[in-house]
Amino acid sequence: NAGVTQTPKFRVLKTGQSMTLLCAQDMNHEYMYWYRQDPGMGLRLIHYSVGEGTTAKGEVPDGYNVSRLKKQNFLLGLESAAPSQTSVYFCASSYSRRSNEKLFFGSGTQLSVL
Amino acid sequence: AQRVTQPEKLLSVFKGAPVELKCNYSYSGSPELFWYVQYSRQRLQLLLRHISRESIKGFTADLNKGETSFHLKKPFAQEEDSAMYYCAPIVYNFNKFYFGSGTKLNVKP
């Protein structure tokens, strides 16, 4: 039982390049989330999904797209990377929509856009 | 608008001293409150949640609905408590977990 796995762990992009971050969970969780972590800003929600085939925008969705084709995977895409997207990205998942449910986090992806 | 505020970016205390990490929220509903912690080179993990009324690693957090606060406290800080702490209020059926900006706790020997 690996929990939440993110790939890659590190990536350097040039401005304008595209890439996809993969999040996989093996806990049969319905809910999955993508956050970015920036100094002084804490964690900000980018997009989230409440089930296979569904996605929704969070606080800072601009410049990102997501897909949830399979229940266990949640992909975050950057179509045209910008230096402002330099950040640490975290994926998380939870089993249900109950408000006392905890989140399980991945180990993060350090992305630098030059 | 839903907001959560952690006013201190950095909190430095000496080992053995009491510590309090502040969290204030403004939500239209009645949120459940969580504290998450991120130790160096580790992933974020749940520290404690209000509904459980538990004490984890000596930490407790009291929900004050009048002041809309959920401060995290520990009477005697340890060096291993040094970490980033995030407050997260969750509103039932809201489907989203919003986090505060975080407080970095540094416990000095």
Side-chain angles (χ1 to χ4, degrees), chain A residues 2-5 31 33 35 37-45 48 50 57-59 90 94 96-108, chain B residues 2 6 9 30-34 36 38 41-46 49 51-52 84 86 88-102:
Chain A
V4 180
T5 303
Y31 295 77
Y33 309 80
Y35 290 89
Q37 183 185 44
D38 303 291
M41 305 289 287
L43 287 164
R44 291 182 292 169
L45 182 64
Y48 66 101
V50 301
K57 295 180 180 180
E59 300 171 85
F90 287 98
S94 65
S96 76
R97 63 188 295 172
R98 290 168 51 195
S99 55
N100 61 350
E101 197 69 46
K102 75 174 185 180
L103 290 176
F104 291 81
F105 282 88
S107 56
Chain B
Q2 321 279 13
Q6 292 180 250
K9 285 187 168 46
S30 297
E32 292 294 338
L33 282 301
F34 294 73
Y36 281 81
Q38 186 179 25
R41 298 191 183 88
Q42 295 186 27
R43 61 186 69 192
L44 275 129
Q45 57 188 284
L46 177 68
R49 50 190 138 184
I51 195 170
S52 301
M84 195 75 175
Y86 291 95
I90 316 302
V91 177
Y92 183 67
N93 276 342
F94 200 44
N95 282 343
K96 304 176 189 178
F97 290 73
Y98 287 109
F99 288 80
S101 55

Side-chain angles (χ1 to χ4, degrees), chain A residues 18-54:
Chain A
S18 63
M19 78 161 293
T20 300
L21 281 67
L22 171 65
C23 177
Q25 51 91 7
D26 59 2
M27 297 173 284
N28 200 34
H29 284 174
E30 289 289 340
Y31 295 77
M32 297 186 76
Y33 309 80
W34 275 108
Y35 290 89
R36 58 178 290 173
Q37 183 185 44
D38 303 291
M41 305 289 287
L43 287 164
R44 291 182 292 169
L45 182 64
I46 305 172
H47 286 279
Y48 66 101
S49 169
V50 301
E52 181 179 319
T54 71

Side-chain angles (χ1 to χ4, degrees), chain B residues 10-31:
Chain B
L10 174 64
L11 187 60
S12 288
V13 300
F14 285 101
K15 176 183 173 181
V19 63
E20 181 180 54
L21 288 79
K22 292 184 170 56
C23 173
N24 291 90
Y25 64 92
S26 60
Y27 275 71
S28 55
S30 297

Side-chain angles (χ1 to χ4, degrees), chain A residues 11-21 63 65 76-82 85 111 113:
Chain A
R11 187 71 186 270
V12 179
L13 292 177
K14 294 181 180 179
T15 297
Q17 287 185 316
S18 63
M19 78 161 293
T20 300
L21 281 67
N65 57 74
L76 178 71
L78 286 72
E79 290 187 350
S80 180
Q85 294 177 304
L111 175 65
V113 183

